[in-house]
Amino acid sequence: MRIGLFGGSFDPVHNGHLIVARAAAERLALDQVRLVLARQQPFKAGRHGATAEDRLMMLRVAVRDDPILVVDECELHRSGASYTIDTLRELHAERLQDELVLLLGADAAHDLPTWKEAEAIPRLAAVVALTRPGVVVPEHPLIDEAIGVPPVDVSATGIRARCARGESITDLVPAAVARYIAERRLYREGV
Ligand code: ATP
């Protein structure tokens, strides 16, 4: 199998994540894209708006009926900050037959050289950068390829801000995610 890994804090998961993950699966002929939920994103320590449990529930309802997208919970079982290199090593050891492709939005692709053991990542997975509105896709030796995906100008930061102002997020996230946020009264304080 060809397996894509798309990591994030998914705080909350939104249409941008889902649309680009599906587009990358099609472009790169991936059998599956695993949405890897960071328990604690190293660059966002203590700044998550929702708990890992709530972020996980939102991811689950968002991909419930999707044939390609799968929620990967492996980083939830590790303590401390969530590092992609640890996830790749774990998955590689479990799935020696499979080919791994690390998918990075353009902003994440910029940060990649600063990640823990970044230079070891290309030995475990092909690294593909995805376009994102407002961000130039970087070129550096750790990135194998850059592909264009449909532009969706949505960010979790923007969604949290809208929730804090009491504005609608109906067009920005799947309906089940919007319901979950409303029921749990998430992001009311603003983060
Ligand atoms: P925040 O606003 O809280 O920083 P985010 O919307 O950037 O969150 P993350 O969970 O941090 O979402 O992102 C996970 C991955 O998805 C990253 O690789 C990021 O670049 C990518 N991504 C997020 N939103 C988009 C989008 N609208 N288009 C393309 N890629 C995106």
Side-chain angles (χ1 to χ4, degrees), residues 6-12 14-17 20 41 44 103-109 130-133 149-158 160:
F6 192 43
S9 40
F10 301 111
D11 191 15
H14 54 66
N15 291 343
H17 297 128
V20 305
Q41 220 265 44
K44 296 179 181 169
L103 305 170
L104 302 172
D107 51 318
L130 313 174
T131 50
R132 181 170 187 175
V149 287
V152 188
D153 197 4
V154 177
S155 72
T157 303
R160 294 193 300 274

Side-chain angles (χ1 to χ4, degrees), residues 16-133:
H17 297 128
L18 301 173
I19 289 168
V20 305
R22 289 184 189 122
E26 199 177 316
R27 278 287 303 276
L28 300 166
L30 303 174
D31 299 294
Q32 180 184 80
V33 175
R34 302 178 76 84
L35 302 178
V36 186
L37 176 62
R39 198 178 69 83
Q40 193 186 305
Q41 220 265 44
F43 297 126
K44 296 179 181 169
R47 290 195 289 117
H48 293 308
T51 62
E53 290 71 26
D54 279 329
R55 291 182 282 125
L56 173 62
M57 293 309 291
M58 291 189 278
L59 264 183
R60 283 190 182 151
V61 297
V63 305
R64 203 165 31 201
D65 300 317
D66 196 291
I68 301 273
L69 304 183
V70 171
V71 181
D72 188 316
E73 300 179 27
C74 80
E75 294 186 353
L76 300 181
H77 306 309
R78 296 199 299 263
S79 56
S82 309
Y83 294 110
T84 298
I85 185 69
D86 300 331
T87 299
L88 284 172
R89 285 194 175 122
E90 220 176 289
L91 202 63
H92 177 72
E94 273 169 27
R95 296 173 164 268
L96 291 173
Q97 311 301 323
D98 294 330
E99 218 179 308
L100 304 181
V101 180
L102 182 66
L103 305 170
L104 302 172
D107 51 318
H110 274 282
D111 293 339
L112 177 63
T114 68
W115 290 9
K116 181 183 165 194
E117 293 182 62
E119 67 295 340
I121 288 177
R123 290 200 286 276
L124 294 164
V127 180
V128 177
L130 313 174
T131 50
R132 181 170 187 175

